[in-house]
Amino acid sequence: MRKKALKNQIKVYRAKNDWTQEELAHRVSVTRKTINTIENGKFVPSTYLALKIAKVFGASVEDIFQIDDA
Amino acid sequence: MKSNIEMLERRRMRFLELYLIGFAAFIILSVTRFFFRLGGLNSQPIGTAVLFGLIISLMFLAISAVGYLTLGRKIKDDPGLKEALNDEMIQSLELRSWKAAYCGAVATTIFFAVAWFFYPVCDPVMIALTSVISGAGAYQATFYFKYRFL
């Protein structure tokens, strides 16, 4: 069975908004470490957290997260 | 608030590190004492030194556990801190750590049970305490290393 993998554009959206990981973490009420692990694809967030992240960026979840088919 | 979260997170990990140092010392000294007792060395000066080390490691464990719990209470009292510092990744790691805690306690009990076949086990209180502390230590160690290297 293939390992669950989720690509994300968090780094890109953070750069667009000029936010640090800590800034984003504060906005979605998690730790910087959590944002870091999501950004690096090591931790798959819940639907709720994914929606929260998309909301603070003003984007849809699909814009931020995509299933990694590779 | 932002830097406060980072500061509390770092402090939490410091307490965990201290706890793990105390835990490692306790396990090593506890097993040493177990074998010293079988060899009749516990009444010798070296046995007393091990007992002294064991008491210090227990104090170390108690101080770090109290510090960790006090910090946990401080986090719990502030809804913002509670949400950020107990986020879903932390909760996920805690769940995985419970599994390790169970395995740690069972492995220690099995170790002493197997040893019982070969040697007369004569300190059941120490064995029970070691099994419980092994479970707690396995929990904290799993949490710490999974968090650190995730």
Side-chain angles (χ1 to χ4, degrees):
Chain A
M1 200 171 81
R2 225 152 38 93
K3 203 180 164 191
K4 268 196 294 185
L6 205 61
K7 281 193 297 184
N8 69 77
Q9 305 297 321
I10 293 177
K11 201 170 182 175
V12 175
Y13 275 83
R14 270 199 313 106
K16 274 186 196 169
N17 289 278
D18 198 21
W19 291 348
T20 60
Q21 287 184 342
E22 199 179 339
E23 173 79 43
L24 175 61
H26 178 63
R27 286 171 187 266
V28 294
S29 299
V30 294
T31 58
R32 188 195 56 77
K33 176 86 178 178
T34 301
I35 294 297
N36 180 267
T37 52
I38 295 171
E39 201 172 291
N40 292 324
K42 290 177 183 168
F43 177 68
V44 177
S46 67
T47 313
Y48 178 68
L49 183 55
L51 283 163
K52 267 171 97 176
I53 292 170
K55 191 178 174 185
V56 295
F57 284 136
S60 68
V61 179
E62 290 86 351
D63 290 334
I64 310 286
F65 298 98
Q66 300 90 31
I67 292 170
D68 192 359
D69 291 322
Chain B
M1 176 77 169
K2 272 189 285 177
S3 54
N4 198 18
I5 290 172
E6 294 302 310
M7 190 194 74
L8 288 173
E9 195 187 0
R10 276 197 296 273
R11 200 182 290 173
R12 179 161 68 179
M13 296 318 278
R14 290 288 164 275
F15 278 126
L16 267 182
E17 280 166 4
L18 287 177
Y19 184 91
L20 291 176
I21 291 167
F23 169 68
F26 176 83
I27 290 297
I28 291 166
L29 292 170
S30 178
V31 172
T32 305
R33 193 169 154 76
F34 173 76
F35 286 109
F36 272 17
R37 187 171 191 133
L38 299 174
L41 290 168
N42 274 350
S43 53
Q44 306 284 321
I46 193 164
T48 312
V50 169
L51 179 64
F52 185 68
L54 203 60
I55 292 166
I56 296 208
S57 69
L58 272 173
M59 283 166 63
F60 216 75
L61 277 176
I63 291 166
S64 53
V66 167
Y68 189 79
L69 291 173
T70 309
L71 191 66
R73 176 158 285 196
K74 189 179 173 184
I75 292 168
K76 208 175 168 186
D77 288 343
D78 185 321
L81 289 176
K82 190 182 170 190
E83 193 181 359
L85 288 161
N86 287 308
D87 62 25
E88 59 185 63
M89 189 186 74
I90 299 289
Q91 287 170 24
S92 151
L93 291 180
E94 281 175 350
L95 280 176
R96 283 195 262 172
S97 302
W98 276 114
K99 194 176 166 186
Y102 173 77
C103 292
V106 168
T108 309
T109 309
I110 289 172
F111 169 78
F112 285 118
V114 170
W116 180 76
F117 281 108
F118 302 102
Y119 309 101
V121 174
C122 38
D123 199 350
V125 175
M126 197 60 203
I127 290 169
L129 185 67
T130 306
S131 295
V132 170
I133 292 180
S134 297
Y139 176 94
Q140 304 290 19
T142 305
F143 182 86
Y144 177 80
F145 288 109
K146 281 202 181 289
Y147 182 86
R148 197 79 195 260
F149 300 109
L150 193 70

